[in-house]
Amino acid sequence: IAMVSYYFGSKDKMIDALFQYRIGMMHQYLSKLKDDKKIKTKERLSAFLRIYLETILNNTTFYKIMMREFSLKTISDPIYEKITELKMKTVQIVDQILEDGYDKNEFSNKVSGEFILAMVIGSSSYFIMNQNMYMVYWKCKHHKEYTSIILKKHLPNVINSIDSILHFNDEK
């Protein structure tokens, strides 16, 4: 505890620094991807979702800490505010990618970034919270093997589902 106080000032400031570091790196990469107009919107969205899911799966302990801290804090708490700010930035990035797709008529059904993220985060949270059961069910010996199965077998299903929703046209 003394080292935390010495280097960061408090537990909350340490957690804030951790969030800034982890999520800040991901946002930098995702912002570059969002602005890369050489790649079709669908591929940018797919790459975004893959990177986002890989980041969560490769940092499950951090993800659990973030969710725990978020659930325990009040709206006026600085950590709650920081997590909210970081989450809102993620939604804005997804919204910008989607808007680009709508502007180019690449998507026929208007869906919010919040909905896309809810699908991805909901499915990834489910796998994270049930990791022990699925490692036994899939006969995984290591976390890397577990992550690989999710990225190879389940991420394509999530991306295809999102793609189907974005291209859904109920007038057909």
Side-chain angles (χ1 to χ4, degrees), residues 37-137:
K37 304 298 181 191
K38 293 178 241 160
I39 304 171
K40 285 189 173 188
T41 309
K42 178 183 174 183
E43 282 76 30
R44 281 190 286 148
L45 185 60
S46 294
F48 175 93
L49 298 174
R50 180 176 192 78
I51 292 162
Y52 196 80
L53 186 57
E54 282 178 353
T55 301
I56 290 171
L57 290 172
N58 290 326
N59 298 287
T60 55
T61 303
F62 170 74
Y63 181 77
K64 288 176 183 177
I65 290 169
M66 187 174 80
M67 291 297 95
R68 181 181 177 280
E69 288 297 320
F70 190 71
S71 69
L72 295 176
K73 301 299 180 184
T74 62
I75 292 174
S76 62
D77 190 287
I79 290 178
Y80 184 92
E81 289 175 10
K82 180 57 67 181
I83 295 171
T84 300
E85 175 187 322
L86 295 168
K87 286 180 172 196
M88 287 174 58
K89 187 173 182 178
T90 304
V91 172
Q92 290 169 348
I93 292 170
V94 174
D95 278 338
Q96 289 171 350
I97 293 172
L98 291 171
E99 280 304 317
D100 191 37
Y102 300 135
D103 292 345
K104 295 177 180 175
N105 291 318
E106 292 181 33
F107 305 136
S108 55
N109 189 27
K110 213 147 176 114
V111 179
S112 68
E114 303 96 82
F115 179 77
I116 301 293
L117 285 170
M119 287 183 67
V120 174
I121 294 170
S123 59
S124 59
S125 294
Y126 178 80
F127 283 120
I128 288 169
M129 301 315 273
N130 294 287
Q131 179 175 340
N132 293 336
M133 185 271 298
Y134 277 111
M135 285 186 72
V136 171
Y137 186 72

Side-chain angles (χ1 to χ4, degrees), residues 11-35:
K11 174 189 158 204
D12 287 348
K13 288 181 182 176
M14 179 190 74
I15 290 172
D16 181 47
L18 178 64
F19 291 161
Q20 288 283 7
Y21 175 74
R22 295 274 184 161
I23 296 173
M25 288 180 6
M26 182 178 68
H27 279 164
Q28 284 178 346
Y29 185 79
L30 295 175
S31 290
K32 287 179 189 174
L33 178 67
K34 168 192 62 94
D35 296 330

